[in-house]
Amino acid sequence: MAKDIHKKPFDEGTKAKLSIFEDYLKEWLPVFLAKKEVIWRTINIYDFFAGPGYDSKGQKGTPMIIRDELTPYFDNIINKRLNVNLYLNEYSKAKKEKLEKRIEEDDLRPYSITIESLDFKEAFDKQFPSMAQKSCANLLFLDQNGVKHISEEVFKKIIELKTTDFLFFISSSTIKRFSEHPNIAQHIKLNPEEVEKTPYHKIHGLILDYYKNLIPPAKQYYLAPFSLKKNAGVYGLIFGSGHVLGIEKFLTTCWNIDPERGTANFDIDDDRIIQGQYDLFSGEVRKPKKVELFESELERKILNRELTTDREIYLYALTNGFIPAHIRKVINKLISEKKIDKCKLNLSSKVCKADSVITQIKLIYNGTIKHRMD
Ligand SMILES: C[S@@+](CC[C@H](N)C(=O)[O-])C[C@H]1O[C@@H](n2cnc3c(N)ncnc32)[C@H](O)[C@@H]1O
């Protein structure tokens, strides 16, 4: 049986998870609540494994984080006549009662709160029609204890929803230890040999690939992982969005938390870099392998014309877990080395809009600009 994390103060891994959730929420809310023109009249936030609200020391859990982050938007919600709904579900009746009392303490708010005590699947199926309504935006937080709730069926239903971002938690260590156990194998179908040869700290990547393979090939959908070390185990968050802006914002959150690799709260690639440490050979500040590899691959792909426009570069970076700041470094280097012409690139989600102006990158050979058709 899973340990009850609310009986003790949250550990470092849980705090890291909550901090990613809070930072992402801070990015997500203004997109839907502070936009000049109203595109989504209904905004739904679902916390399906809500807990009682706090840990044993009064540290906020997800429902209280959501409640506090919504407070600055009261005027927007009223003035724009937005229909904002917060749905909280917690299976344990005792925890649900605590949560209800804590939430009722401040009941002057311009949005609705529903609190239920259902098994996740029942809650999800019951709420699904509201998520699937026209002109609504959804954020789903699925903070399960183990691994079993985000089944193939649930995942496929979520990715079919419009304007929906989700973040779910998964115990990667449990999968490593028990991948062949029928209780796990029936929910997540991983190849036991692959699991066997993948080290504990990399298992989250394998789980991400499993979910990626559930996305139909023609569908544009973005997933990103963040691995968390919690005591002796490795856990992970998986974020999903059908929109480039969603994935850019999540990746920005991850890079703020892990400026070295943007993907874990520990040295997942075993780079052993001490901050500010210099490389003995190049004399430059040492970079994680992952960043070095990305920079050299991006440079190679630009110079051999596999990537020719700002839109292609932007999407290449996001799908590989990098953000515009990383692209700019490579572009500036290529300009200063006179390998590409000076250019003004649009490295934001706007470049993916159907009517946006696309900028071509012009290569320079022997001091002359080489045009695409040359
Ligand atoms: C990791 S905790 C969530 C913590 C919470 N997000 C917070 O920040 O405090 C998982 C919660 O899910 C609840 N739970 C366990 N099984 C469940 C189920 N089948 N359906 C819904 N909730 C469940 C547990 O009681 C526990 O409070």
Side-chain angles (χ1 to χ4, degrees):
M1 211 176 123
K3 283 191 198 134
D4 187 346
I5 65 160
H6 299 103
K7 285 199 168 146
K8 290 189 293 184
F10 290 147
D11 59 29
E12 288 311 310
T14 301
K15 284 189 204 158
K17 169 182 75 180
L18 291 173
S19 137
I20 291 180
F21 175 67
E22 182 171 357
D23 289 357
Y24 185 68
L25 195 60
K26 280 188 204 299
E27 297 276 342
W28 192 88
L29 289 175
V31 175
F32 297 98
L33 301 182
K35 236 186 160 45
K36 260 196 201 147
E37 128 201 49
V38 175
I39 303 173
W40 302 276
R41 179 72 52 203
T42 300
I43 287 97
N44 302 314
I45 302 173
Y46 300 91
D47 185 355
F48 281 106
F49 301 83
Y54 295 99
D55 73 356
S56 65
K57 280 259 161 81
Q59 172 118 351
K60 286 187 276 182
T62 43
M64 295 324 195
I65 293 175
I66 303 170
R67 179 203 62 180
D68 289 355
E69 289 304 321
L70 278 170
T71 305
Y73 295 98
F74 281 11
D75 284 351
N76 280 46
I77 296 173
I78 295 165
N79 296 340
K80 292 176 187 291
R81 285 191 258 135
L82 299 174
N83 171 22
V84 178
N85 306 301
L86 172 57
Y87 176 81
L88 305 171
N89 178 61
E90 166 54 51
Y91 189 57
S92 148
K93 295 235 167 4
K95 288 188 190 183
K96 182 227 177 194
E97 276 167 25
K98 278 190 186 161
L99 181 61
E100 265 171 341
K101 282 201 190 103
R102 288 161 172 172
I103 287 283
E104 272 164 18
E105 277 163 18
D106 46 6
D107 62 354
L108 272 179
R109 54 179 97 80
Y111 61 90
S112 81
I113 300 189
T114 307
I115 308 181
E116 291 195 299
S117 177
L118 301 174
D119 173 52
F120 163 69
K121 187 60 175 36
E122 200 187 332
F124 179 79
D125 288 342
K126 193 171 164 190
Q127 292 307 312
F128 194 76
S130 329
M131 298 176 207
Q133 268 172 353
K134 263 193 185 165
S135 79
C136 78
N138 306 303
L139 177 63
L140 276 60
F141 190 49
L142 305 143
D143 194 7
Q144 62 180 345
N145 272 329
V147 302
K148 66 176 191 191
H149 293 290
I150 322 305
S151 62
E152 184 172 333
E153 181 207 338
V154 167
F155 181 83
K156 285 186 169 166
K157 281 181 100 169
I158 295 176
I159 65 169
E160 284 311 320
L161 290 165
K162 279 201 176 135
T163 324
T164 299
D165 290 347
F166 70 88
L167 191 55
F168 76 86
F169 184 72
I170 190 153
S171 167
S172 316
S173 301
T174 309
I175 291 186
K176 174 78 181 164
R177 263 186 280 153
F178 307 114
S179 71
E180 285 181 79
H181 192 286
N183 268 353
I184 306 280
Q186 86 187 65
H187 300 294
I188 295 194
K189 297 175 193 81
L190 293 174
N191 177 345
E193 278 165 33
E194 284 276 327
V195 175
E196 176 72 32
K197 66 174 193 238
T198 307
Y200 259 96
H201 65 287
K202 294 276 185 183
I203 201 84
H204 194 44
L206 210 62
I207 299 169
L208 181 80
D209 289 343
Y210 161 76
Y211 283 105
K212 271 191 179 160
N213 285 330
L214 298 180
I215 301 173
K219 190 170 181 67
Q220 268 202 344
Y221 205 85
Y222 306 93
L223 293 184
F226 195 90
S227 297
L228 297 157
K229 217 172 209 170
K230 235 164 92 75
N231 309 321
V234 179
Y235 299 78
L237 286 168
I238 290 182
F239 172 81
S241 179
H243 200 281
V244 282
L245 182 60
I247 197 78
E248 185 189 323
K249 286 194 178 287
F250 180 71
L251 290 172
T252 306
T253 299
C254 295
W255 281 97
N256 284 338
I257 290 187
D258 172 17
E260 301 283 359
R261 287 160 219 87
T263 190
N265 72 340
F266 61 97
D267 184 2
I268 196 167
D269 295 330
D270 201 18
D271 288 315
R272 299 178 200 199
I273 292 175
I274 302 162
Q275 259 199 349
Q277 186 184 16
Y278 282 86
D279 187 286
L280 223 52
F281 300 104
S282 68
E284 289 177 6
V285 175
R286 274 190 64 199
K287 279 182 215 160
K289 291 190 250 326
K290 178 182 163 179
V291 177
E292 248 172 32
L293 196 69
F294 171 77
E295 288 179 359
S296 62
E297 270 296 278
L298 179 59
E299 183 171 332
R300 190 184 63 75
K301 282 179 187 288
I302 292 173
L303 295 179
N304 72 16
R305 290 189 163 167
E306 272 176 66
L307 299 172
T308 59
T309 66
D310 47 3
R311 181 189 281 177
E312 286 170 3
I313 291 174
Y314 175 74
L315 286 174
Y316 174 76
L318 290 189
T319 45
N320 284 283
F322 288 82
I323 52 177
H326 297 106
I327 308 176
R328 277 189 208 103
K329 262 184 79 186
V330 173
I331 295 293
N332 290 343
K333 175 174 173 275
L334 291 176
I335 293 175
S336 72
E337 290 173 353
K338 301 201 166 27
K339 289 183 176 162
I340 63 170
D341 195 21
K342 278 190 187 149
C343 49
K344 211 168 167 234
L345 304 180
N346 180 358
L347 299 174
S348 77
S349 62
K350 292 199 179 89
V351 78
C352 295
K353 287 192 170 164
D355 58 352
S356 72
V357 177
I358 306 293
T359 305
Q360 295 280 338
I361 294 175
K362 294 176 190 142
L363 304 186
I364 300 178
Y365 291 117
N366 301 326
T368 321
I369 295 170
K370 185 106 176 148
H371 291 281
R372 223 183 149 193
M373 293 296 136
D374 292 353

